[in-house]
Amino acid sequence: MEQKYIYGTEIDVRDYELDAEGIVNNANYLHYLEHTRHEFCKIAGFTFAQMRENGIDPVLRKVEIEYLTPLKSGDTMESFINMERKGPRFIFHQDIFRKSDGQPVVKALVTVVMLKNGKLSKGDEVAEAFHKYL
Amino acid sequence: MEQKYIYGTEIDVRDYELDAEGIVNNANYLHYLEHTRHEFCKIAGFTFAQMRENGIDPVLRKVEIEYLTPLKSGDTMESFINMERKGPRFIFHQDIFRKSDGQPVVKALVTVVMLKNGKLSKGDEVAEAFHKYL
Amino acid sequence: MEQKYIYGTEIDVRDYELDAEGIVNNANYLHYLEHTRHEFCKIAGFTFAQMRENGIDPVLRKVEIEYLTPLKSGDTMESFINMERKGPRFIFHQDIFRKSDGQPVVKALVTVVMLKNGKLSKGDEVAEAFHKYL
Amino acid sequence: MEQKYIYGTEIDVRDYELDAEGIVNNANYLHYLEHTRHEFCKIAGFTFAQMRENGIDPVLRKVEIEYLTPLKSGDTMESFINMERKGPRFIFHQDIFRKSDGQPVVKALVTVVMLKNGKLSKGDEVAEAFHKYL
């Protein structure tokens, strides 16, 4: 499964992420997706801290997320990522699977643009830094 | 603005919802949207507690959210909702505006289906309860 | 009840704050307490934004919190505050009650110190700004 | 350091746990402490799920937490635990250190009592299950 993706990481459900229905609350998946993107950027060698030092500010424009299987207490997930560039937009294709049985958990498209010194940029510096993955 | 919607509520940003960039973290908007849906259900007369007593379990299937203006410390938002039924799916059109100047903050489509005693249902009971709003 | 306190505010439980036991998760009470302190500072005329502009950084040193009654979905709380100065330490006495019946929910002592340009300060500027309440 | 404790686990800071000051928000440490207790119970062989099946409901009574060093983006913590019984109360001594340099991060005392079928119990079943650690 993993070779289709440019990066993957494991995340454990923490019990405080469950809501009154005993399943992970929907908003926490946006946390998992963000955490995966940040970990990927760290591995790819261009951390959020470095972006900021270069005056670059990644801004979320859109998230489309499908909820397929709810996670519960004790579950571990495998969170995978691919990225694509469409003009100034960087689109992350993110899939999360339940580790125990490979069941798909969420499927998401996340669109990010880059501000440079506060203004919308074409994102060339970021594209350059991630050229191996695009 | 308000007459286009079936329900609206005000929500204040709480400072712990900000992230390191000094703006509300993207996942918190899913909290705001959920809070608005729950408040609406309360007003509409069919609370989540009552649904559960009737064996009905609303399940989130999909969220499409566009981020238009970031909220900051001290901001108040106005969160509006419309609902639509497409077969077994209930689709909430949710818009959040910044109260101070009416600036659009997020625009979201939220798709929910209804489980009845654990199985996907056509949602007729829920449609009945909300018929005034559909 | 209110006259014993220098400030009080109402906070509604939001359903995503519940955990799998159907009660508000323990960590959220620290959010409620922080929110109350920030609202109080706003009312008292010395906001966190203004403190930062003056190079002042309030830092939490200690929280002692007793959990007396769990809050549930639909509950509203009344969150009250008193403050006291002990040398460089500002101690907030914070009590939260359930609005419906006045039942005590949490009782907390929160100790804050003030950094001035990154160094521990005696907090005189802050004490001056809040002298009416000390 | 580790031998003084009955259990320890590593936890990574996730960027969404930071607040506008760029440090982990104070309430998240209660999440870390809870996560550590739950992981310990899992290892010790008496999970929260099993407790509930036996009609046992652990309830938080008190948390005393000192904040010693703020954690930042990229930090990993080591979270350790000891437990003690005082009559019906189980007291967890919990220490968190920054992994990179062993700096103490928080120091906490967490008091838990056990409800049995909704009533305060002496906690003998739980004490029995954890006798190796008490």
Side-chain angles (χ1 to χ4, degrees):
Chain A
M1 182 181 301
E2 214 160 332
Q3 71 271 33
K4 295 173 26 192
Y5 298 97
I6 56 175
Y7 176 72
T9 186
E10 283 192 12
I11 306 174
D12 292 326
V13 170
R14 300 178 185 169
D15 283 352
Y16 62 79
E17 296 167 338
L18 307 178
D19 62 18
E21 297 177 17
I23 56 177
V24 169
N25 181 272
N26 64 83
N28 285 313
Y29 293 97
L30 268 68
H31 284 155
Y32 300 150
L33 296 173
E34 177 186 299
H35 181 61
T36 306
R37 292 193 305 278
H38 286 213
E39 288 298 295
F40 163 65
C41 289
K42 219 187 279 176
I43 297 297
F46 201 28
T47 66
F48 271 66
Q50 290 171 317
M51 289 184 201
R52 251 175 253 141
E53 282 163 26
N54 286 276
I56 299 169
D57 198 15
V59 172
L60 210 59
R61 269 289 182 258
K62 196 173 182 178
V63 174
E64 294 165 82
I65 177 169
E66 282 178 81
Y67 296 90
L68 303 167
T69 309
L71 289 176
K72 299 189 174 178
S73 178
D75 280 340
T76 297
M77 73 201 85
E78 297 182 306
S79 179
F80 296 107
I81 201 168
N82 272 323
M83 76 186 283
E84 178 192 9
R85 189 186 182 191
K86 283 196 180 169
R89 290 174 291 138
F90 292 84
I91 299 170
F92 294 90
H93 299 251
Q94 299 194 242
D95 293 322
I96 296 177
F97 300 91
R98 188 163 56 195
K99 195 187 173 190
S100 60
D101 60 2
Q103 202 62 25
V105 170
V106 302
K107 200 173 166 53
L109 281 184
V110 177
T111 304
V112 175
V113 295
M114 302 295 160
L115 301 190
K116 174 82 184 182
N117 302 323
K119 286 184 184 163
L120 187 65
S121 82
K122 290 198 287 180
D124 289 340
E125 274 169 292
V126 173
E128 173 64 23
F130 291 98
H131 72 277
K132 277 194 299 186
Y133 305 100
L134 284 166
Chain B
M1 183 182 298
E2 215 161 331
Q3 72 270 33
K4 295 174 24 193
Y5 298 98
I6 57 175
Y7 176 72
T9 187
E10 283 193 12
I11 306 174
D12 292 326
V13 170
R14 300 178 184 167
D15 283 352
Y16 61 79
E17 297 167 338
L18 307 178
D19 63 17
E21 298 179 16
I23 57 178
V24 169
N25 182 271
N26 65 83
N28 284 314
Y29 292 98
L30 269 66
H31 284 155
Y32 299 149
L33 295 173
E34 177 186 299
H35 181 62
T36 305
R37 292 193 305 278
H38 286 214
E39 288 297 295
F40 163 65
C41 289
K42 219 186 283 176
I43 297 296
F46 201 28
T47 66
F48 272 66
Q50 290 171 318
M51 291 184 199
R52 251 174 253 142
E53 280 162 28
N54 287 277
I56 299 169
D57 198 14
V59 172
L60 209 60
R61 269 289 181 261
K62 196 173 181 177
V63 174
E64 294 166 81
I65 177 170
E66 283 178 80
Y67 296 91
L68 302 166
T69 309
L71 289 176
K72 302 189 172 177
S73 179
D75 280 340
T76 298
M77 71 200 85
E78 297 181 307
S79 180
F80 296 107
I81 201 166
N82 271 322
M83 76 186 285
E84 178 192 9
R85 189 186 182 191
K86 283 196 180 171
R89 289 172 293 138
F90 293 83
I91 300 170
F92 294 91
H93 299 250
Q94 300 194 242
D95 293 321
I96 296 178
F97 300 91
R98 188 163 57 195
K99 195 187 173 191
S100 59
D101 59 1
Q103 203 63 26
V105 169
V106 303
K107 200 174 166 53
L109 280 184
V110 177
T111 304
V112 175
V113 295
M114 301 296 159
L115 302 189
K116 173 82 184 182
N117 302 323
K119 287 184 183 162
L120 187 65
S121 82
K122 289 198 286 180
D124 288 341
E125 274 169 292
V126 172
E128 174 65 21
F130 290 97
H131 72 276
K132 276 193 299 184
Y133 304 100
L134 285 165
Chain C
M1 184 183 299
E2 216 159 331
Q3 71 272 33
K4 296 174 23 194
Y5 298 97
I6 56 175
Y7 176 72
T9 188
E10 282 192 12
I11 306 174
D12 292 327
V13 169
R14 300 178 185 169
D15 284 351
Y16 61 79
E17 297 167 338
L18 306 179
D19 63 18
E21 298 177 17
I23 55 177
V24 169
N25 181 271
N26 65 82
N28 285 312
Y29 293 97
L30 268 67
H31 284 155
Y32 300 149
L33 296 173
E34 178 186 298
H35 181 61
T36 306
R37 293 194 303 278
H38 286 213
E39 288 297 295
F40 164 64
C41 288
K42 220 186 282 177
I43 297 296
F46 201 27
T47 66
F48 271 65
Q50 290 171 318
M51 289 184 199
R52 252 176 251 140
E53 280 162 27
N54 287 276
I56 299 170
D57 198 14
V59 172
L60 210 59
R61 271 288 182 259
K62 195 173 183 178
V63 174
E64 294 166 80
I65 177 170
E66 283 178 80
Y67 296 91
L68 303 167
T69 308
L71 289 176
K72 301 190 172 176
S73 179
D75 280 341
T76 297
M77 72 200 86
E78 297 182 306
S79 180
F80 295 106
I81 201 167
N82 271 321
M83 75 187 286
E84 176 193 11
R85 189 186 182 191
K86 282 197 180 167
R89 289 174 292 137
F90 293 84
I91 299 169
F92 295 91
H93 299 251
Q94 299 194 242
D95 293 322
I96 295 178
F97 300 90
R98 188 163 58 195
K99 194 186 172 192
S100 60
D101 60 1
Q103 203 63 24
V105 169
V106 302
K107 201 174 165 53
L109 281 184
V110 177
T111 304
V112 175
V113 295
M114 302 297 160
L115 301 190
K116 174 81 184 183
N117 303 321
K119 287 184 183 161
L120 187 65
S121 83
K122 289 197 288 179
D124 288 341
E125 274 168 291
V126 172
E128 174 63 22
F130 290 97
H131 73 274
K132 277 193 298 185
Y133 305 100
L134 286 166
Chain D
M1 185 183 298
E2 216 160 332
Q3 71 271 33
K4 295 173 22 192
Y5 298 98
I6 57 175
Y7 176 71
T9 188
E10 283 192 13
I11 306 174
D12 292 327
V13 170
R14 300 178 185 169
D15 284 352
Y16 62 79
E17 297 167 338
L18 306 179
D19 63 17
E21 297 179 16
I23 56 177
V24 169
N25 182 271
N26 65 82
N28 284 312
Y29 293 97
L30 269 67
H31 283 156
Y32 300 150
L33 296 172
E34 178 187 298
H35 181 61
T36 306
R37 293 194 303 278
H38 285 214
E39 288 298 295
F40 164 65
C41 289
K42 219 187 282 177
I43 296 296
F46 201 27
T47 66
F48 271 66
Q50 290 171 318
M51 289 184 200
R52 253 175 250 141
E53 281 163 27
N54 286 278
I56 299 169
D57 198 15
V59 172
L60 210 59
R61 271 288 182 260
K62 196 174 183 179
V63 174
E64 293 165 81
I65 177 170
E66 283 177 81
Y67 297 90
L68 304 167
T69 310
L71 289 175
K72 300 190 173 176
S73 180
D75 280 341
T76 297
M77 71 201 86
E78 298 183 306
S79 179
F80 295 106
I81 203 167
N82 272 322
M83 76 187 284
E84 176 193 12
R85 189 186 182 190
K86 283 197 180 169
R89 289 174 292 137
F90 293 84
I91 299 168
F92 294 90
H93 300 251
Q94 300 194 242
D95 293 322
I96 296 178
F97 300 91
R98 188 162 59 194
K99 194 187 173 191
S100 60
D101 59 1
Q103 203 64 23
V105 169
V106 303
K107 200 176 167 54
L109 281 183
V110 177
T111 304
V112 175
V113 294
M114 302 296 160
L115 301 191
K116 174 82 185 182
N117 303 322
K119 286 185 183 161
L120 187 65
S121 82
K122 288 197 289 180
D124 289 341
E125 275 167 289
V126 172
E128 174 63 23
F130 290 97
H131 72 275
K132 276 194 299 186
Y133 305 101
L134 285 166

